[in-house]
Amino acid sequence: MSASQPHNTTQVERPDSLKSLFWAFTWLALQGFGGVVAVVQREMVEKKRWLTREQFVEDWAVAQVLPGPNVVNLSLMIGDRYFGWRGGLVALAGMLTFPLLIVLALAGLFAGVSDVPQVQGALRGMSAVAAGMIVATGLKMLPALKTNVLGTPWCWAVAALTFAAIAGLRLPLIWVLALLGGGSGLWAYRRLNATAPGQAKP
């Protein structure tokens, strides 16, 4: 690992092969009932250590902004990080292959019982669990904000404004991302430029 790489990559490990990458994402996807992001954070950061917490926060932020399912975007990014475009495709295949087969099978079974009140109640209960998993993952990622270039107070302020805009005011997500996300990104860019070694004033 080169000395020019950021300090938060010093403890990162890497998958041994494309095969291990495929099965890691397959196992990850099969655990993702109600929301894969919580499972991704636990598997990629805490267990396998393929990403640091800071890298996960950064990659997840990009995956959220890009078009398409955020977890699919993240799998492509992680696969590409270690094996280039082949790794991206293999990670994507691991994420989608077996869940796709299972969903197709369940869809055929669910079609006959979708109107049963007990089934609808069970699905509503699962949605509460999914929300709890997302909140728990967000709390786990909070310590990574301590090293954010914007500073912890501003990160908390943006998080609070985002929650208020989406949950309280029910503003469209695209506008919240454009205004708060874009504004924070530009500010971070300016602060990074201001503290770059080549731009430091004597």
Side-chain angles (χ1 to χ4, degrees):
M1 187 172 296
S2 65
S4 62
Q5 287 180 298
H7 69 279
N8 61 1
T9 61
T10 53
Q11 297 181 351
V12 171
E13 299 179 9
R14 59 174 295 136
D16 298 329
S17 63
L18 289 171
K19 181 179 179 181
S20 64
L21 185 72
F22 174 83
W23 287 113
F25 275 95
T26 296
W27 172 240
L28 185 154
L30 292 176
Q31 296 178 74
F33 294 95
V36 181
V37 58
V39 185
V40 174
Q41 193 274 339
R42 186 179 70 244
E43 290 290 327
M44 297 290 107
V45 177
E46 298 176 11
K47 290 188 176 181
K48 296 188 178 299
R49 300 181 183 231
W50 290 353
L51 296 173
T52 64
R53 190 160 44 194
E54 290 77 12
Q55 286 175 326
F56 178 78
V57 170
E58 294 168 1
D59 288 356
W60 181 247
V62 175
Q64 287 274 71
V65 175
L66 292 175
N70 43 37
V71 177
V72 170
N73 294 338
L74 187 65
S75 68
L76 286 166
M77 293 164 62
I78 294 175
D80 179 74
R81 181 188 297 270
Y82 294 110
F83 295 102
W85 65 270
R86 294 183 305 152
L89 292 178
V90 168
L92 179 63
M95 179 65 70
L96 297 180
T97 302
F98 286 97
L100 176 62
L101 297 175
I102 293 173
V103 167
L104 288 175
L106 290 178
L109 296 173
F110 181 72
V113 295
S114 60
D115 294 330
V116 177
Q118 290 84 349
V119 174
Q120 295 175 353
L123 292 177
R124 284 193 289 270
M126 290 179 189
S127 66
V129 174
M133 290 172 66
I134 294 172
V135 171
T137 303
L139 293 175
K140 281 185 178 182
M141 294 190 294
L142 284 179
L145 297 180
K146 294 178 181 178
T147 59
N148 192 287
V149 68
L150 296 180
T152 303
W154 174 251
C155 291
W156 277 105
V158 172
L161 287 172
T162 302
F163 182 83
I166 295 175
L169 301 177
R170 301 188 181 277
L171 297 178
L173 180 59
I174 185 65
W175 291 112
V176 176
L177 285 174
L179 295 176
L180 292 178
S184 298
L186 288 174
W187 190 11
Y189 179 77
R190 292 187 63 180
R191 294 196 63 174
L192 287 170
N193 281 343
T195 57
Q199 310 224 344
K201 295 183 179 179

